[in-house]
Coordinates of all heavy atoms in Angstrom, one line a residue:
V321 N -23.6 -124.0 -185.1 CA -24.6 -124.2 -184.0 C -24.3 -125.5 -183.4 O -24.2 -125.7 -182.1 CB -26.0 -124.1 -184.4 CG1 -27.0 -124.5 -183.3 CG2 -26.4 -122.7 -184.9
I322 N -24.1 -126.6 -184.2 CA -23.7 -127.9 -183.7 C -22.4 -127.8 -182.9 O -22.3 -128.4 -181.8 CB -23.6 -128.9 -184.9 CG1 -24.9 -129.1 -185.5 CG2 -23.0 -130.2 -184.4 CD1 -24.9 -129.9 -186.8
W323 N -21.4 -127.1 -183.4 CA -20.1 -127.0 -182.7 C -20.3 -126.3 -181.4 O -19.7 -126.7 -180.4 CB -19.2 -126.3 -183.6 CG -17.8 -126.1 -183.0 CD1 -16.8 -127.0 -183.1 CD2 -17.3 -125.0 -182.3 NE1 -15.7 -126.5 -182.4 CE2 -16.0 -125.3 -181.9 CE3 -17.9 -123.7 -181.9 CZ2 -15.2 -124.4 -181.2 CZ3 -17.1 -122.8 -181.2 CH2 -15.8 -123.2 -180.8
A324 N -21.1 -125.2 -181.4 CA -21.3 -124.5 -180.1 C -22.0 -125.4 -179.1 O -21.6 -125.3 -177.9 CB -22.2 -123.2 -180.4
Y325 N -23.0 -126.2 -179.5 CA -23.6 -127.1 -178.6 C -22.6 -128.1 -178.0 O -22.5 -128.4 -176.8 CB -24.6 -128.0 -179.4 CG -26.0 -127.6 -179.2 CD1 -26.7 -127.0 -180.3 CD2 -26.7 -127.8 -178.1 CE1 -28.1 -126.7 -180.2 CE2 -28.1 -127.5 -177.9 CZ -28.7 -126.9 -179.0 OH -30.1 -126.6 -178.9
A326 N -21.7 -128.6 -178.9 CA -20.8 -129.6 -178.5 C -19.7 -129.1 -177.5 O -19.3 -129.7 -176.6 CB -20.0 -130.2 -179.8
R327 N -19.3 -127.8 -177.7 CA -18.4 -127.2 -176.8 C -19.0 -127.1 -175.4 O -18.2 -127.2 -174.4 CB -18.0 -125.8 -177.3 CG -17.0 -125.1 -176.4 CD -16.6 -123.8 -177.0 NE -17.7 -122.9 -177.4 CZ -17.6 -121.6 -177.9 NH1 -16.3 -121.2 -178.1 NH2 -18.6 -120.9 -178.2
D328 N -20.3 -127.0 -175.3 CA -20.9 -126.9 -174.0 C -21.3 -128.3 -173.5 O -21.8 -128.4 -172.4 CB -22.2 -126.1 -174.1 CG -21.9 -124.6 -174.4 OD1 -20.8 -124.2 -174.2 OD2 -22.9 -123.9 -174.7
G329 N -21.0 -129.3 -174.3 CA -21.4 -130.7 -173.9 C -22.9 -131.0 -174.1 O -23.4 -131.9 -173.4
G330 N -23.5 -130.2 -174.9 CA -25.0 -130.3 -175.1 C -25.5 -131.3 -176.1 O -26.7 -131.4 -176.4
L331 N -24.6 -132.1 -176.7 CA -24.9 -133.1 -177.7 C -24.2 -134.4 -177.4 O -23.1 -134.4 -176.9 CB -24.7 -132.6 -179.1 CG -25.5 -131.5 -179.7 CD1 -25.0 -131.1 -181.1 CD2 -27.0 -132.0 -179.8
P332 N -24.7 -135.6 -177.9 CA -23.9 -136.8 -177.8 C -22.7 -136.7 -178.6 O -22.7 -135.9 -179.6 CB -24.9 -137.9 -178.3 CG -26.3 -137.3 -178.2 CD -26.1 -135.8 -178.3
A333 N -21.7 -137.4 -178.3 CA -20.4 -137.4 -179.0 C -19.8 -136.0 -179.1 O -19.2 -135.6 -180.1 CB -20.6 -138.0 -180.4
A334 N -20.0 -135.2 -178.1 CA -19.5 -133.8 -178.1 C -18.0 -133.7 -178.3 O -17.5 -132.8 -178.9 CB -19.9 -133.1 -176.8
G335 N -17.3 -134.7 -177.7 CA -15.8 -134.6 -177.9 C -15.4 -134.7 -179.3 O -14.4 -134.0 -179.7
A336 N -16.1 -135.4 -180.1 CA -15.7 -135.5 -181.6 C -16.2 -134.3 -182.3 O -15.5 -133.7 -183.2 CB -16.3 -136.8 -182.2
L337 N -17.4 -133.8 -182.0 CA -18.1 -132.7 -182.7 C -17.3 -131.4 -182.5 O -17.4 -130.5 -183.3 CB -19.5 -132.6 -182.3 CG -20.5 -133.7 -182.7 CD1 -21.8 -133.5 -182.0 CD2 -20.7 -133.7 -184.2
V338 N -16.7 -131.2 -181.3 CA -16.1 -130.0 -181.0 C -14.7 -129.8 -181.6 O -14.1 -128.7 -181.6 CB -16.1 -129.8 -179.5 CG1 -14.9 -130.6 -178.8 CG2 -16.0 -128.3 -179.1
R339 N -14.1 -130.9 -182.1 CA -12.7 -130.8 -182.6 C -12.6 -129.9 -183.8 O -13.4 -129.9 -184.7 CB -12.2 -132.2 -183.0 CG -12.0 -133.1 -181.8 CD -11.7 -134.5 -182.2 NE -11.7 -135.5 -181.1 CZ -11.8 -136.8 -181.2 NH1 -11.9 -137.3 -182.4 NH2 -11.9 -137.6 -180.2
L340 N -11.5 -129.2 -183.8 CA -11.1 -128.3 -184.9 C -9.9 -128.8 -185.6 O -9.0 -129.2 -185.0 CB -10.8 -126.9 -184.4 CG -12.0 -126.2 -183.6 CD1 -11.5 -124.9 -183.0 CD2 -13.2 -125.9 -184.5
R341 N -10.0 -128.8 -186.9 CA -9.0 -129.5 -187.7 C -8.1 -128.5 -188.5 O -8.7 -127.5 -189.0 CB -9.6 -130.5 -188.7 CG -10.5 -131.5 -188.1 CD -9.7 -132.6 -187.4 NE -10.6 -133.7 -186.9 CZ -10.2 -134.7 -186.3 NH1 -8.9 -134.9 -186.1 NH2 -11.0 -135.7 -185.8
G342 N -6.9 -128.8 -188.7 CA -6.0 -128.1 -189.5 C -5.6 -126.7 -189.1 O -6.1 -126.2 -188.0
K343 N -4.8 -126.0 -189.9 CA -4.4 -124.7 -189.5 C -5.5 -123.7 -189.5 O -5.6 -122.7 -188.7 CB -3.3 -124.2 -190.5 CG -2.7 -122.9 -190.2 CD -1.7 -122.5 -191.2 CE -1.1 -121.1 -191.0 NZ 0.0 -120.7 -191.9
A344 N -6.5 -124.0 -190.4 CA -7.7 -123.1 -190.5 C -8.6 -123.3 -189.3 O -9.5 -122.4 -189.1 CB -8.5 -123.3 -191.8
R345 N -8.5 -124.3 -188.5 CA -9.3 -124.6 -187.4 C -10.8 -124.7 -187.7 O -11.6 -123.9 -187.3 CB -9.0 -123.6 -186.2 CG -7.6 -123.6 -185.8 CD -7.3 -122.7 -184.6 NE -8.0 -123.3 -183.4 CZ -7.5 -124.3 -182.7 NH1 -6.4 -125.0 -183.1 NH2 -8.1 -124.8 -181.6
I346 N -11.1 -125.6 -188.6 CA -12.5 -125.8 -189.1 C -13.2 -126.9 -188.3 O -12.5 -128.0 -188.1 CB -12.4 -126.2 -190.6 CG1 -11.8 -125.1 -191.4 CG2 -13.8 -126.4 -191.1 CD1 -12.5 -123.8 -191.4
P347 N -14.4 -126.8 -187.9 CA -15.2 -127.9 -187.2 C -15.6 -128.9 -188.2 O -16.8 -129.0 -188.6 CB -16.3 -127.1 -186.6 CG -16.6 -125.9 -187.5 CD -15.2 -125.5 -188.0
V348 N -14.7 -129.8 -188.6 CA -14.9 -130.7 -189.7 C -16.0 -131.7 -189.4 O -16.9 -131.9 -190.2 CB -13.6 -131.5 -190.0 CG1 -13.9 -132.6 -191.0 CG2 -12.5 -130.5 -190.6
V349 N -16.0 -132.3 -188.2 CA -17.0 -133.3 -187.9 C -18.4 -132.7 -187.9 O -19.4 -133.3 -188.3 CB -16.7 -133.9 -186.5 CG1 -17.7 -135.0 -186.2 CG2 -15.3 -134.6 -186.5
A350 N -18.5 -131.5 -187.3 CA -19.8 -130.8 -187.3 C -20.3 -130.6 -188.7 O -21.5 -130.7 -189.0 CB -19.7 -129.5 -186.6
I351 N -19.4 -130.2 -189.6 CA -19.8 -130.0 -191.0 C -20.3 -131.3 -191.7 O -21.3 -131.3 -192.4 CB -18.7 -129.4 -191.8 CG1 -18.4 -127.9 -191.4 CG2 -19.0 -129.4 -193.3 CD1 -17.1 -127.3 -192.0
L352 N -19.5 -132.4 -191.4 CA -19.9 -133.7 -191.9 C -21.2 -134.2 -191.4 O -22.0 -134.9 -192.1 CB -18.8 -134.7 -191.6 CG -17.5 -134.4 -192.3 CD1 -16.4 -135.4 -191.9 CD2 -17.6 -134.4 -193.9
V353 N -21.6 -133.8 -190.2 CA -22.9 -134.2 -189.6 C -24.0 -133.6 -190.5 O -25.0 -134.2 -190.8 CB -23.0 -133.8 -188.2 CG1 -24.5 -133.9 -187.7 CG2 -22.1 -134.7 -187.3
T354 N -23.8 -132.3 -190.8 CA -24.9 -131.6 -191.7 C -25.0 -132.3 -193.0 O -26.1 -132.4 -193.6 CB -24.6 -130.2 -191.9 OG1 -23.4 -130.0 -192.7 CG2 -24.4 -129.4 -190.6
T355 N -23.9 -132.8 -193.5 CA -23.9 -133.6 -194.8 C -24.6 -134.9 -194.7 O -25.4 -135.2 -195.6 CB -22.4 -133.9 -195.3 OG1 -21.7 -132.6 -195.3 CG2 -22.4 -134.5 -196.6
V356 N -24.4 -135.6 -193.6 CA -25.1 -136.9 -193.4 C -26.6 -136.6 -193.3 O -27.4 -137.3 -193.9 CB -24.5 -137.6 -192.2 CG1 -25.4 -138.8 -191.8 CG2 -23.1 -138.0 -192.5
V357 N -27.0 -135.6 -192.4 CA -28.4 -135.4 -192.2 C -29.1 -134.9 -193.5 O -30.2 -135.3 -193.8 CB -28.6 -134.3 -191.1 CG1 -30.1 -134.0 -191.0 CG2 -28.1 -134.8 -189.8
G358 N -28.4 -134.0 -194.3 CA -28.9 -133.6 -195.5 C -29.1 -134.7 -196.5 O -30.2 -134.8 -197.2
S359 N -28.2 -135.7 -196.6 CA -28.3 -136.8 -197.4 C -29.5 -137.7 -197.0 O -30.2 -138.2 -197.9 CB -27.0 -137.7 -197.4 OG -25.9 -136.9 -197.8
A360 N -29.7 -137.8 -195.7 CA -30.9 -138.6 -195.3 C -32.2 -137.9 -195.7 O -33.2 -138.6 -196.0 CB -30.8 -138.7 -193.7
L361 N -32.2 -136.6 -195.6 CA -33.4 -135.9 -196.1 C -33.7 -136.0 -197.6 O -34.8 -136.1 -198.0 CB -33.3 -134.4 -195.7 CG -33.4 -134.0 -194.2 CD1 -33.0 -132.6 -194.0 CD2 -34.7 -134.4 -193.6
F362 N -32.6 -136.1 -198.4 CA -32.8 -136.3 -199.8 C -33.4 -137.7 -200.0 O -34.3 -137.9 -200.9 CB -31.5 -136.2 -200.5 CG -30.9 -134.8 -200.4 CD1 -29.5 -134.7 -200.5 CD2 -31.6 -133.7 -200.3 CE1 -28.9 -133.4 -200.4 CE2 -31.1 -132.4 -200.2 CZ -29.7 -132.3 -200.3
L363 N -32.9 -138.7 -199.3 CA -33.4 -140.1 -199.4 C -34.8 -140.1 -199.0 O -35.7 -140.7 -199.7 CB -32.6 -141.0 -198.6 CG -33.0 -142.5 -198.6 CD1 -32.9 -143.1 -200.0 CD2 -32.1 -143.3 -197.6
L364 N -35.2 -139.4 -197.9 CA -36.6 -139.4 -197.5 C -37.5 -138.7 -198.5 O -38.6 -139.2 -198.7 CB -36.6 -138.6 -196.2 CG -38.0 -138.6 -195.4 CD1 -38.3 -140.0 -195.0 CD2 -37.9 -137.7 -194.2
S365 N -37.0 -137.7 -199.3 CA -37.8 -137.1 -200.3 C -38.1 -138.0 -201.4 O -39.1 -137.8 -202.1 CB -37.0 -135.8 -200.8 OG -35.9 -136.2 -201.6
I366 N -37.3 -139.1 -201.6 CA -37.6 -140.0 -202.7 C -38.6 -141.1 -202.2 O -39.6 -141.4 -203.0 CB -36.3 -140.8 -203.1 CG1 -35.3 -139.8 -203.6 CG2 -36.6 -141.8 -204.1 CD1 -33.9 -140.4 -203.9
V367 N -38.5 -141.5 -201.0 CA -39.3 -142.7 -200.6 C -40.6 -142.3 -199.8 O -41.5 -143.1 -199.6 CB -38.5 -143.6 -199.6 CG1 -37.2 -144.1 -200.4 CG2 -38.1 -142.9 -198.3
A368 N -40.7 -141.0 -199.4 CA -41.9 -140.7 -198.6 C -42.8 -139.6 -199.1 O -43.4 -138.9 -198.4 CB -41.3 -140.2 -197.2
G369 N -42.8 -139.4 -200.5 CA -43.8 -138.5 -201.1 C -43.3 -137.1 -201.0 O -42.1 -136.8 -201.2
D370 N -44.2 -136.2 -200.8 CA -44.0 -134.7 -200.9 C -43.3 -134.2 -199.7 O -43.8 -133.3 -198.9 CB -45.3 -134.0 -201.2 CG -45.0 -132.6 -201.6 OD1 -43.9 -132.2 -201.9 OD2 -46.0 -131.8 -201.8
V371 N -42.1 -134.7 -199.4 CA -41.3 -134.2 -198.2 C -40.8 -132.8 -198.5 O -40.6 -132.0 -197.6 CB -40.2 -135.1 -197.9 CG1 -39.3 -134.6 -196.8 CG2 -40.7 -136.5 -197.5
Y372 N -40.6 -132.4 -199.8 CA -40.1 -131.1 -200.1 C -41.0 -130.0 -199.6 O -40.6 -129.1 -199.0 CB -39.9 -131.0 -201.6 CG -39.4 -129.6 -202.0 CD1 -38.0 -129.3 -201.9 CD2 -40.2 -128.7 -202.6 CE1 -37.5 -128.1 -202.3 CE2 -39.7 -127.5 -203.0 CZ -38.4 -127.2 -202.8 OH -37.9 -125.9 -203.2
S373 N -42.3 -130.2 -199.9 CA -43.3 -129.2 -199.4 C -43.3 -129.1 -197.9 O -43.5 -128.1 -197.3 CB -44.7 -129.5 -199.9 OG -44.8 -129.4 -201.3
L374 N -43.2 -130.3 -197.2 CA -43.2 -130.4 -195.8 C -42.0 -129.6 -195.3 O -42.1 -128.8 -194.3 CB -43.1 -131.8 -195.3 CG -43.3 -132.1 -193.8 CD1 -44.7 -131.8 -193.4 CD2 -42.9 -133.5 -193.5
M375 N -40.8 -129.7 -195.9 CA -39.6 -129.0 -195.5 C -39.7 -127.5 -195.7 O -39.3 -126.7 -194.8 CB -38.4 -129.6 -196.2 CG -38.0 -131.0 -195.8 SD -36.4 -131.6 -196.4 CE -36.6 -131.4 -198.1
V376 N -40.3 -127.1 -196.8 CA -40.4 -125.7 -197.1 C -41.3 -125.0 -196.1 O -41.0 -124.0 -195.6 CB -41.0 -125.5 -198.6 CG1 -41.4 -124.0 -198.8 CG2 -39.9 -125.9 -199.6
N377 N -42.5 -125.7 -195.8 CA -43.4 -125.1 -194.9 C -42.8 -125.0 -193.5 O -43.0 -124.0 -192.8 CB -44.7 -126.0 -194.8 CG -45.4 -126.0 -196.2 OD1 -45.2 -125.2 -197.0 ND2 -46.4 -126.9 -196.3
F378 N -42.2 -126.1 -193.0 CA -41.6 -126.0 -191.7 C -40.5 -125.0 -191.6 O -40.4 -124.3 -190.5 CB -41.1 -127.4 -191.3 CG -40.4 -127.3 -189.9 CD1 -41.1 -127.3 -188.8 CD2 -39.0 -127.3 -189.9 CE1 -40.4 -127.1 -187.5 CE2 -38.3 -127.2 -188.7 CZ -39.0 -127.1 -187.5
T379 N -39.7 -124.8 -192.6 CA -38.6 -123.9 -192.5 C -39.0 -122.5 -192.2 O -38.4 -121.9 -191.3 CB -37.8 -123.9 -193.8 OG1 -37.2 -125.3 -194.1 CG2 -36.6 -123.0 -193.8
A380 N -40.0 -122.0 -192.9 CA -40.4 -120.6 -192.6 C -40.9 -120.5 -191.2 O -40.5 -119.5 -190.4 CB -41.5 -120.2 -193.6
G381 N -41.8 -121.4 -190.7 CA -42.2 -121.3 -189.3 C -41.1 -121.6 -188.3 O -41.1 -120.9 -187.3
G382 N -40.2 -122.4 -188.7 CA -39.1 -122.8 -187.8 C -38.2 -121.6 -187.5 O -37.8 -121.4 -186.3
F383 N -37.9 -120.7 -188.5 CA -37.1 -119.5 -188.2 C -37.8 -118.6 -187.2 O -37.2 -118.1 -186.3 CB -36.9 -118.8 -189.5 CG -35.7 -119.3 -190.3 CD1 -35.8 -120.0 -191.5 CD2 -34.4 -119.2 -189.8 CE1 -34.7 -120.5 -192.2 CE2 -33.3 -119.7 -190.5 CZ -33.5 -120.3 -191.7
Y384 N -39.1 -118.4 -187.5 CA -39.8 -117.4 -186.6 C -40.0 -118.0 -185.2 O -39.9 -117.2 -184.2 CB -41.1 -117.0 -187.2 CG -41.0 -116.0 -188.3 CD1 -40.8 -116.4 -189.6 CD2 -41.1 -114.7 -188.0 CE1 -40.6 -115.5 -190.6 CE2 -40.9 -113.7 -189.0 CZ -40.6 -114.2 -190.3 OH -40.5 -113.2 -191.3
L385 N -40.1 -119.3 -185.1 CA -40.2 -119.9 -183.7 C -38.8 -119.8 -183.0 O -38.8 -119.4 -181.8 CB -40.6 -121.4 -183.8 CG -40.7 -122.1 -182.5 CD1 -41.7 -121.5 -181.6 CD2 -41.0 -123.6 -182.8
A386 N -37.8 -120.0 -183.8 CA -36.4 -119.8 -183.2 C -36.2 -118.4 -182.8 O -35.6 -118.1 -181.7 CB -35.4 -120.3 -184.2
F387 N -36.6 -117.4 -183.6 CA -36.5 -116.0 -183.3 C -37.2 -115.7 -182.0 O -36.7 -114.8 -181.2 CB -37.1 -115.1 -184.4 CG -36.3 -115.1 -185.7 CD1 -36.8 -114.5 -186.8 CD2 -35.1 -115.8 -185.8 CE1 -36.1 -114.5 -188.0 CE2 -34.3 -115.8 -187.0 CZ -34.9 -115.1 -188.1
L388 N -38.3 -116.3 -181.7 CA -39.1 -116.0 -180.5 C -38.3 -116.3 -179.2 O -38.6 -115.6 -178.2 CB -40.4 -116.7 -180.6 CG -41.5 -116.0 -181.3 CD1 -42.7 -116.9 -181.5 CD2 -42.0 -114.7 -180.6
F389 N -37.5 -117.3 -179.2 CA -36.8 -117.6 -178.0 C -36.0 -116.5 -177.5 O -36.2 -116.1 -176.3 CB -35.9 -118.9 -178.2 CG -36.7 -120.2 -178.1 CD1 -37.2 -120.8 -179.3 CD2 -36.8 -120.8 -176.9 CE1 -37.9 -122.0 -179.2 CE2 -37.5 -122.0 -176.8 CZ -38.0 -122.6 -178.0
P390 N -35.0 -115.9 -178.2 CA -34.2 -114.8 -177.7 C -35.1 -113.5 -177.5 O -34.8 -112.7 -176.6 CB -33.1 -114.6 -178.7 CG -33.6 -115.2 -180.0 CD -34.5 -116.3 -179.5
L391 N -36.1 -113.3 -178.4 CA -36.9 -112.2 -178.2 C -37.7 -112.2 -176.9 O -37.7 -111.2 -176.2 CB -37.9 -112.1 -179.4 CG -37.3 -111.7 -180.8 CD1 -38.3 -111.8 -181.9 CD2 -36.6 -110.4 -180.8

Side-chain angles (χ1 to χ4, degrees):
V321 175
I322 292 171
W323 181 84
Y325 259 112
R327 180 174 55 178
D328 292 346
L331 289 176
L337 290 170
V338 78
R339 290 176 190 157
L340 300 172
R341 304 284 185 179
K343 184 178 179 180
R345 303 187 67 76
I346 300 295
V348 171
V349 179
I351 292 172
L352 293 178
V353 167
T354 67
T355 306
V356 172
V357 176
S359 301
L361 290 172
F362 297 152
L363 178 62
L364 189 63
S365 71
I366 299 175
V367 302
D370 194 5
V371 176
Y372 180 76
S373 294
L374 188 67
M375 291 192 299
V376 170
N377 294 348
F378 173 77
T379 297
F383 275 113
Y384 282 86
L385 179 58
F387 289 172
L388 275 169
F389 279 92
L391 290 174

